[in-house]
Amino acid sequence: MATYDTTAATDYIRMNVLDSEDFLGADDDRKTALLNVADRTLRQTFPDLDDEEDEDADGFPAEAVYQFAAVLGAQYNATMVQMRRGVSSFGVGGEINFTFMDWKQRDLHDFIPASVYAMLGKSKRGIKYTVL
């Protein structure tokens, strides 16, 4: 697993990712965890791009990991984690209420953004239904 510089990741995300608040507001331990999970998920999803035997290979572009880590930060923030745990709605102090419309369980690789697929030269495949 690669080691990522949280300062470089923070600078990149600040300037290149629109939904960045959760990553930028995190402490260094949380940023490191997000980067590690993003890296590990990309390696599991695209094993053909991960050549650990080649010592000259850098693995995945750091920018791909940074973009995915920002998405994971938004998907696993304090509010969204309630949805991941199966909570359909909750309120705070009677004045702020959250209702989740789509709270089905999803795998980490489901959150890989299209920009990362493009950066890696992969197509994002999905099931498409057609009517005959």
Side-chain angles (χ1 to χ4, degrees):
M1 181 175 293
T3 302
Y4 294 96
D5 177 0
T6 57
T7 302
T10 301
D11 291 344
Y12 178 88
I13 290 169
R14 180 178 293 115
M15 300 306 290
N16 295 285
V17 176
L18 293 177
D19 191 0
S20 60
E21 294 83 11
D22 292 297
F23 187 90
L24 297 177
D27 62 21
D28 280 346
D29 286 344
R30 176 70 174 168
K31 289 177 182 178
T32 299
L34 290 167
L35 291 165
N36 288 340
V37 171
D39 180 83
R40 182 176 61 243
T41 303
L42 289 175
R43 289 178 192 282
Q44 291 170 348
T45 305
F46 305 107
D48 58 314
L49 298 178
D50 183 23
D51 188 4
E52 292 185 18
E53 293 177 9
D54 182 0
E55 294 187 17
D56 294 332
D58 291 335
F60 296 93
E63 294 82 3
V65 176
Y66 299 163
Q67 286 186 25
F68 186 32
V71 170
L72 290 176
Q75 289 297 322
Y76 286 88
N77 65 24
T79 302
M80 297 299 284
V81 77
Q82 297 302 318
M83 178 180 69
R84 306 258 172 268
R85 293 179 178 155
V87 174
S88 60
S89 66
F90 69 95
V92 178
E95 297 188 23
I96 300 172
N97 295 299
F98 296 89
T99 301
F100 302 113
M101 303 304 285
D102 178 19
W103 46 275
K104 69 177 184 170
Q105 290 293 334
R106 297 167 88 187
D107 291 324
L108 290 172
H109 69 268
D110 292 331
F111 299 114
I112 299 172
S115 59
V116 170
Y117 277 89
M119 197 177 293
L120 299 176
K122 296 288 187 175
S123 62
K124 187 169 187 174
R125 296 184 186 149
I127 298 173
K128 294 187 180 185
Y129 297 97
T130 59
V131 178
L132 299 175

